[in-house]
C-alpha cells in the first residue's frame, strides 16, 4: 500500500478548513467564513490540479 502523502496533507487541510467554516459560523464572523471558504477553494483547486497532472 503506497500512501500519497501530498494528497493526504491536502485532504487534512481541506477538512480543517471545512471545520473552521463551522467554527466561524458559530462565532458569527462573516470575514472568517469568507476567508475559510476562499482557503478551501484554493486547497481543493490545487489538489484537483495535482491529481490531473498525475493521472
Amino acid at each position: 500500500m503506497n500512501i500519497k502523502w501530498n494528497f493526504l496533507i491536502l485532504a487534512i487541510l481541506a477538512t480543517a478548513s471545512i471545520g473552521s467554516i463551522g467554527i466561524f459560523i458559530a462565532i458569527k464572523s462573516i470575514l472568517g467564513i469568507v476567508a475559510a471558504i476562499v482557503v478551501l477553494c484554493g486547497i481543493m483547486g490545487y489538489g484537483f490540479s495535482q491529481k490531473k497532472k498525475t493521472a
Side-chain angles (χ1 to χ4, degrees):
M1 184 172 163
N2 189 11
I3 297 175
K4 296 181 180 172
W5 291 101
N6 55 342
F7 292 121
L8 178 63
I9 291 170
L10 287 171
I12 291 169
L13 289 173
T15 304
S17 66
I18 291 170
S20 67
I21 293 170
I23 292 169
F24 286 127
I25 289 172
I27 62 174
K28 299 176 182 170
S29 172
I30 300 297
L31 184 61
I33 295 167
V34 171
I37 290 172
V38 168
V39 169
L40 176 63
C41 290
I43 291 170
M44 294 294 288
Y46 180 72
F48 284 134
S49 68
Q50 292 301 308
K51 182 70 175 174
K52 186 175 181 180
K53 287 180 184 177
T54 60

